Amino acid sequence: MRFGIALFALSAVAIATVWAWLGAPIVMPNAPLGPGERLYCISYSPFRAGQSPADPTTHIDARQIEDDLTRLAKLTDCVRTYSLALGVDQVPAIAKRHGLKVMLGIWLSTEPDKTRSEIETGIRLAKEYPDVIRALVVGNEVLLRGEMSALDLANTIRAIKAQVSVPVTYADVWEFWLRNAPLASAVDFVTIHILPYWEDFPIAARDAASHVSSIRQRVAQAFPGKEIMIGEVGWPSFGRMRDGARPSPANQALVVQDVLAIAKRDNFRVNVIEAFDEPWKRVQEGTVGAHWGLLDAYDRDFKFQWGKPVSNHPLWIWQAFGGIVFAGVIFGAAAVSVRRREMTTTWIAVGVTATVAGIMIGWTLANVPFESFGLGGWVRSAALAVVAFVAPPAAAAAMAGDVRLPRLSEIIGPLAYRLNKPLPLLLGLTIAALLVLAVQVALGLVFDPRYRDFPFAPFTCAVVPLFLHSLTARRPVGARGTAELTGAATLVLSAIYIALNETFANWQSLWLCGAFIALAIILVRVRGGRS
């Protein structure tokens, strides 16, 4: 017992140490903006939680825009909008009261009536607020979406340009400008989007600014005599990794500040994407799509300060404290279930379980609100959290009490063969739930991976204790189950594909794949009962 207490103390120290390391503020480069200096421009969409431009019944109240622009006036000289429907056309008038300029977006699409309305409204506002509107952005990524030919787009731009006195441009991903070079003759300046995270070959945060600079120079060489403005550049603060490109608060702060520093050095204009996080984008782009804002979607506050250190886990003290308490629960579950005479190896396994679970449980809970969207997303996240809470103490109790891991047939098979003792039943239900969740996540990442997250924290929390149990328990006897073998094969094959598809630079993917393989080993080692 003394050995167990000593291990608990060691586990508590390890949990606190790891969380202190994870939560330590990361030093940022020198502030790219001087005292009183503001951004040249920033993308702004007024849609808050529960609002979406995809809902035609939405109408943004002027007071909501007023509140947003009051906050943004402290950060930027200008806002870039993308459309004029649903109340967004109120932005120029409100921006004028706050001393802000506007890059006014006119949304072009395959719907003629909506496009006509956008064009008419944009021309009217350009004539009414020529001192506010820096430029009309006629169309946003229309070529990328394949909704208009380059020729029709150029004709539309020229027709609008003939009716207004403000500069006119078009905005698209840099590659589509290079593919449609003649379009440059229709605009006053070229507006390109460079998003290192979304490149076909994603760029890591540390290399993002140099990538932006090189791409801008490449486009400038293709269009001599034309100003090249970066119309979108930024980095997400949360979401799944793509290759080595990891969304995080610190990486967002680093990329934005590095790009601004290069823009100041090389004297080119930059519009940062974006002002506020936009929850409505989760429908289209998953977790990562909703977290590009420099300000939070809910409290509407800035996520970081120029030049100041940034923590990726600012609540790490509470996560460490909760993890230590959870580790105590795990050791307690083992202590009250002791049946073995020789406990040294078991206590070590319990100690590893408590340490891993104590670290991962705080990470699991922190990710739930970010990674859950819609009823299905919340159900899955809640189920993973429950399994992450149940598996460690249950496995610790089973290791100490010499209780074997049951087969699925003993949980959902014929009544005559089902288990009725609480601990084996709980273990079996945990394994069954874990298998269902793992297969669902794994197949999703195989067949539709682009916007899916890697829930490595809850799977680690749940799988490691069961894996240690399968290694330290007495050698199992009896037959292996067909369901277990099928599930194991599915997970191993999926893990191999996911790891190769996501590349070895993506540690989130590799970590989750490791959890899948560990779960497969658990399933293969489970024996006994009927198939």
Side-chain angles (χ1 to χ4, degrees):
M1 193 64 181
R2 291 179 180 176
F3 186 52
I5 294 173
L7 284 176
F8 169 65
L10 189 61
S11 176
V13 171
I15 293 168
T17 301
V18 170
W19 271 112
W21 173 69
L22 290 172
I26 298 172
V27 177
M28 291 292 116
N30 293 331
L33 303 180
E37 191 176 0
R38 299 184 295 178
L39 294 174
Y40 174 79
C41 205
I42 191 168
S43 293
Y44 169 63
S45 174
F47 302 98
R48 299 189 181 186
Q51 299 173 335
S52 170
D55 180 2
T57 64
T58 300
H59 187 272
I60 305 302
D61 189 280
R63 291 171 295 182
Q64 187 169 306
I65 299 174
E66 188 87 42
D67 178 65
D68 287 344
L69 297 191
T70 299
R71 297 170 187 270
L72 293 180
K74 304 171 185 176
L75 175 68
T76 183
D77 287 327
C78 162
V79 294
R80 177 190 168 186
T81 61
Y82 289 79
S83 71
L84 294 163
L86 310 180
V88 183
D89 58 332
Q90 303 172 93
V91 169
I94 299 171
K96 183 175 183 177
R97 293 199 294 270
H98 291 277
L100 291 170
K101 302 296 184 181
V102 179
M103 292 191 67
L104 195 70
I106 295 176
W107 189 261
L108 304 182
S109 68
T110 55
E111 300 179 69
D113 291 341
K114 290 185 178 179
T115 295
R116 189 180 307 110
S117 175
E118 288 273 334
I119 291 173
E120 291 173 354
T121 304
I123 292 172
R124 174 178 61 81
L125 291 173
K127 292 178 178 179
E128 190 173 349
Y129 299 100
D131 56 332
V132 174
I133 296 175
R134 275 183 172 167
L136 286 181
V137 185
V138 181
N140 182 73
E141 298 184 351
V142 179
L143 299 177
L144 170 66
R145 298 194 303 275
E147 294 183 348
M148 185 178 285
S149 69
L151 179 60
D152 288 342
L153 176 59
N155 291 335
T156 300
I157 292 170
R158 288 190 176 99
I160 294 173
K161 187 176 175 181
Q163 301 180 61
V164 299
S165 60
V166 300
V168 177
T169 186
Y170 165 69
D172 211 326
V173 175
W174 62 273
E175 295 150 300
F176 283 83
W177 270 106
L178 296 180
R179 296 176 193 175
N180 299 276
L183 184 62
S185 64
V187 299
D188 292 303
F189 59 92
V190 172
T191 301
I192 61 173
H193 295 170
I194 309 176
L195 300 172
Y197 172 85
W198 281 127
E199 294 285 18
D200 292 338
F201 298 97
I203 308 298
R206 64 180 178 275
D207 301 318
S210 59
H211 173 76
V212 170
S213 179
S214 66
I215 293 298
R216 192 197 70 85
Q217 291 174 9
R218 178 177 169 184
V219 176
Q221 291 172 358
F223 302 108
K226 283 284 185 181
E227 179 191 359
I228 310 299
M229 176 181 173
I230 298 180
E232 284 186 0
V233 66
W235 195 268
S237 62
F238 197 88
R240 53 112 74 212
M241 286 184 71
R242 297 188 71 238
D243 290 10
R246 179 195 174 196
S248 73
N251 280 345
Q252 181 185 56
L254 176 66
V255 170
V256 171
Q257 294 182 91
D258 279 351
V259 169
L260 292 177
I262 288 178
K264 178 179 283 190
R265 183 195 70 192
D266 296 344
N267 194 31
F268 59 86
R269 295 190 293 165
V270 170
N271 174 78
V272 176
I273 184 168
E274 56 198 340
F276 299 95
D277 284 343
E278 300 190 60
W280 64 270
K281 287 186 177 179
R282 299 180 73 159
V283 177
Q284 300 171 330
E285 300 176 10
T287 300
V288 72
H291 294 93
W292 286 74
L294 301 191
L295 290 83
D296 182 79
Y298 300 98
D299 60 24
R300 319 300 277 182
D301 286 338
F302 299 112
K303 294 180 182 177
F304 61 87
Q305 294 179 316
W306 304 123
K308 299 294 181 64
V310 178
S311 172
N312 287 328
H313 300 277
L315 300 178
W316 70 268
I317 292 178
W318 290 105
Q319 290 169 301
F321 176 75
I324 292 171
V325 171
F326 190 45
V329 171
I330 294 167
F331 272 98
V336 300
S337 304
V338 172
R339 296 290 184 275
R340 290 185 171 185
R341 292 181 180 179
E342 174 52 52
M343 281 289 293
T344 301
T345 302
T346 301
W347 277 125
I348 293 173
V350 170
V352 174
T353 292
T355 303
V356 172
I359 294 168
M360 289 294 113
I361 199 65
W363 214 332
T364 296
L365 293 179
N367 286 0
V368 166
F370 290 101
E371 296 180 349
S372 304
F373 178 73
L375 179 60
W378 278 101
V379 168
R380 188 192 71 175
S381 293
L384 278 171
V386 169
V387 170
F389 266 108
V390 171
M399 285 187 280
D402 202 18
V403 176
R404 68 178 177 85
L405 297 179
R407 276 177 46 178
L408 296 176
S409 60
E410 297 176 279
I411 306 300
I412 59 175
L415 288 174
Y417 298 98
R418 291 187 190 178
L419 298 172
N420 52 21
K421 292 184 179 180
L423 184 54
L425 181 61
L426 181 62
L427 283 170
L429 290 172
T430 300
I431 293 172
L434 194 56
L435 174 58
V436 170
L437 290 166
V439 169
Q440 189 265 342
V441 171
L443 294 182
L445 287 169
V446 168
F447 293 104
D448 185 25
R450 184 170 176 86
Y451 300 118
R452 294 182 183 270
D453 299 309
F454 301 103
F456 59 87
F459 274 108
T460 302
C461 202
V463 168
V464 167
L466 297 171
F467 182 73
L468 291 172
H469 183 292
S470 72
L471 296 181
T472 58
R474 289 179 297 172
R475 185 175 180 82
V477 295
R480 293 186 175 94
T482 302
E484 284 87 349
L485 293 177
T486 302
T490 301
L491 291 176
V492 169
L493 292 174
S494 296
I496 293 172
Y497 175 84
I498 294 166
L500 295 175
N501 185 55
E502 297 291 341
T503 78
F504 294 133
N506 187 336
W507 64 258
Q508 290 183 352
S509 165
L510 294 177
W511 190 331
L512 182 61
C513 289
F516 287 158
I517 291 173
L519 179 56
I521 294 172
I522 295 167
L523 294 170
V524 169
R525 290 180 62 85
V526 171
R527 298 189 182 191
R530 285 174 58 91
S531 174

